[in-house]
Amino acid sequence: AHANIAGRDVVVEWAQMESASIANLLGTLTPRALVAKADLWRTSSFNITGFYSDVDYGYDIYYSSLNPYHEVLVGGGLNIPFERWMRNDPVLLAHQVWGGELGFSLGSLEGNLCYYDLTWHPAPGAYVTPPWDVFYGVTLTKVLSPTVSVAASYGHETGVGPWPDLDMVMGQALVGF
């Protein structure tokens, strides 16, 4: 559902799987997902957007926000690919995520600062701690022409327990055609 409340966009989606779920194998027959995003504060020079998602174990829809197209530029192994949460909202299987973004202008640069706090919902009977619990990053973009822009990004995934923190620094040129 999408609404504009007092000039602020609010988007909420809720869904429940009735069949064809990996959770069916574990006895959880109706895994659910909730995603909400809202403009919290918008001015001419910056905007703050709040974000929340809560996805049960077993709710796994392909070709959706849970499984968006992304490139694995850094990482592999147990980390969540940086591109998955820096370019898309972090709707993650078996996770509750709170956070948001700060969009801003700095001279001729457009900036985006994001922060997300994660809580893991393990499979029934699983006692494994995930290797991450906080994501944050910043991207600065310079538009060179209507079809060309360059950007620099930094992302960080905070490790839990024995897992190390992961950092990514990336430069990119985007050409639209």
Side-chain angles (χ1 to χ4, degrees), residues 19-32:
S19 63
S21 165
I22 58 174
N24 293 129
L25 303 173
L26 300 170
T28 306
L29 299 179
T30 54
R32 297 176 180 100

Side-chain angles (χ1 to χ4, degrees), residues 1-172:
H2 176 267
N4 188 292
I5 301 170
R8 292 186 167 94
D9 286 329
V10 177
V11 179
V12 178
E13 290 185 46
W14 180 87
Q16 176 176 297
M17 289 188 70
E18 297 293 331
S19 63
S21 165
I22 58 174
N24 293 129
L25 303 173
L26 300 170
T28 306
L29 299 179
T30 54
R32 297 176 180 100
L34 171 68
V35 178
K37 190 172 187 175
D39 288 338
L40 300 178
W41 196 359
R42 184 173 293 277
T43 72
S44 60
S45 58
F46 72 91
N47 63 290
I48 298 173
T49 304
F51 178 81
Y52 174 79
S53 69
D54 191 356
V55 180
D56 290 342
Y57 178 82
Y59 187 92
D60 195 17
I61 303 293
Y62 281 91
Y63 310 114
S64 69
S65 296
L66 252 109
N67 294 293
Y69 166 78
H70 63 271
E71 305 163 45
V72 180
L73 300 177
V74 175
L78 293 175
N79 76 300
I80 298 290
F82 285 90
E83 298 73 29
R84 178 134 185 218
W85 58 269
M86 289 188 71
R87 294 183 183 170
N88 300 289
D89 294 325
V91 181
L92 305 172
L93 176 65
H95 280 82
Q96 180 183 64
V97 180
W98 286 94
E101 298 181 4
L102 168 67
F104 59 93
S105 296
L106 189 63
S108 63
L109 298 174
E110 294 296 319
N112 185 319
L113 201 67
C114 63
Y115 176 90
Y116 301 105
D117 185 80
L118 288 74
T119 303
W120 189 50
H121 301 308
Y127 300 101
V128 177
T129 301
W132 54 83
D133 68 353
V134 170
F135 297 161
Y136 58 85
V138 62
T139 298
L140 295 174
T141 303
K142 168 90 170 145
V143 176
L144 302 177
S145 75
T147 59
V148 179
S149 62
V150 293
S153 299
Y154 166 76
H156 177 84
E157 296 184 6
T158 301
V160 175
W163 301 101
D165 292 355
L166 294 174
D167 295 290
M168 176 199 68
V169 176
M170 176 176 67
Q172 58 188 340

